[in-house]
Amino acid sequence: MPTHAQIIDRALHRIVAGYVFPERAVEIDRAIRDRLAAGEYDALTGAAFCEAVTAHLQEVCPDRHLRLLWQDEPQSAEPEDDDTGRAAFLARLRAENQGVRLVEHLHGNIGHLDIRRIADAGEGGRAIAAAMELVAHTRALVLDLRECRGGAPTGAAMWCSYFFADDQVHLNDIYERSTDSTRQYWTVSPLPAPRYPDRPLYVLTSAATFSGGEDVAYTLQALGRAVVVGETTRGGAHPTRRHPVTEHITVTVPTARTVNAVTGTNWEGVGVRPDLPVPAAEALEEAHEDAIRRLG
């Protein structure tokens, strides 16, 4: 079993090599090694050890994607290549119906989509289209992201694309440290289901909404396309890679950053703030009632 020093050394190696802000990675490395030398982790094991290191990582650099994670079930400790990591991600999305949990029509012909993951646009595009096809003739739509924990930037762009008239809307950019390059994300055309560009749109959020779910909420809000209802989200805006450290421990390293085309920044550390703040449990009822009022 690796020692605390070995685990931290492996994790910090990944952070220093890959973290999107290299200068902050140096600060993180120094701070965690100082705590290790002071014996702060000596009495900790398993999940408690990972939680303590994560708290200290985020104390130096408040990045919600920067974490040391414990898994009870053993995993391969061999480094994953890009293809293996992507295959596992896509398999998880397939098992979760590409993130689409529920499609329903509420009273007054208001659509409600409960989305738990943001699918990859390639494999998940048909599921996104199927959901949008089923709400195509509603008078308003509620996009429920209260339990959405993340997903793919390509899927976030596809979801957003349905709510604009064409492919001429610049959504955001993502800067990748490893290649020192920036990829632009625009609305997509053509789409396999009808667009929904001109009817009321509500996005529901909670304190648990994270990462890819926040991407969709923030983008639609920044572009003035949706009313966000619920709670301020968790605040994780940096695309991330996972690296096994031991059979039970993984380090997650943000390797890129999102820059919104309207605001010039993102939701990292601050979350997406709702236009209509209400407890998450009341957000669907609030959005539904507001839509009925608006439509008359």
Side-chain angles (χ1 to χ4, degrees):
M1 182 71 179
T3 65
H4 284 166
Q6 290 172 321
I7 293 168
I8 285 175
D9 189 66
R10 294 172 190 174
L12 290 175
H13 172 74
R14 291 294 189 179
I15 292 169
V16 171
Y19 188 49
V20 65
F21 298 111
E23 67 283 357
R24 302 304 303 274
V26 174
E27 298 172 23
I28 291 166
D29 184 83
R30 184 185 308 116
I32 299 300
R33 291 189 189 280
D34 286 348
R35 289 182 180 275
L36 175 68
E40 293 191 28
Y41 306 121
D42 290 353
L44 301 175
T45 59
F49 168 66
C50 291
E51 289 167 6
V53 174
T54 295
H56 295 152
L57 289 170
Q58 295 184 3
E59 183 178 305
V60 180
C61 186
D63 187 322
R64 294 300 183 92
H65 278 108
L66 192 60
R67 297 174 291 175
L68 206 62
L69 302 176
W70 174 264
Q71 296 89 217
D72 289 331
E73 293 297 321
Q75 61 181 351
S76 171
E78 293 299 314
E80 282 188 351
D81 58 31
D82 288 347
D83 289 342
T84 302
R86 178 171 170 76
F89 171 68
L90 294 177
R92 185 164 63 248
L93 284 168
R94 286 193 293 272
E96 297 178 10
N97 198 38
Q98 302 298 347
V100 180
R101 177 62 64 89
L102 173 70
V103 181
E104 65 176 344
H105 284 210
L106 306 175
H107 171 72
N109 195 22
I110 310 300
H112 174 220
L113 298 178
D114 184 356
I115 308 302
R116 304 295 177 92
R117 294 272 183 185
I118 304 300
D120 174 78
E123 278 211 12
R126 290 194 303 168
I128 295 171
M132 290 303 301
E133 190 75 58
L134 291 173
V135 297
H137 302 292
T138 55
R139 300 167 66 215
L141 180 62
V142 179
L143 189 63
D144 192 341
L145 302 177
R146 288 177 293 177
E147 298 296 330
C148 187
R149 300 299 200 271
T154 57
M158 176 165 278
W159 273 113
C160 290
S161 296
Y162 278 97
F163 306 114
F164 298 95
D166 53 37
D167 60 358
Q168 300 301 303
V169 181
H170 186 189
L171 302 171
N172 55 40
D173 300 332
I174 294 182
Y175 169 77
E176 183 75 40
R177 175 187 167 180
S178 63
T179 59
D180 191 28
S181 63
T182 298
R183 176 176 176 179
Q184 294 188 341
Y185 288 83
W186 292 69
T187 47
V188 178
S189 182
L191 290 171
R195 293 179 183 270
Y196 202 98
D198 52 4
R199 281 161 282 174
L201 174 65
Y202 297 83
V203 175
L204 308 188
T205 59
S206 74
T209 307
F210 192 53
S211 193
E214 293 177 288
D215 185 348
V216 174
Y218 187 91
T219 301
L220 292 172
Q221 183 188 58
L223 286 161
R225 181 60 189 91
V227 177
V228 177
V229 184
E231 299 170 345
T232 299
T233 61
R234 281 178 63 189
H238 296 153
T240 300
R241 295 193 65 176
R242 301 167 66 95
H243 302 282
V245 176
T246 73
E247 290 185 339
H248 293 278
I249 296 175
T250 298
V251 63
T252 64
V253 182
T255 57
R257 65 176 181 269
T258 302
V259 181
N260 180 266
V262 175
T263 67
T265 184
N266 59 47
W267 59 95
E268 180 63 47
V270 296
V272 182
R273 296 186 176 95
D275 302 300
L276 296 177
V278 296
E282 301 172 15
L284 178 57
E285 181 180 0
E286 177 69 24
H288 186 203
E289 290 179 355
D290 193 74
I292 294 295
R293 284 194 297 268
R294 288 177 63 182
L295 292 167

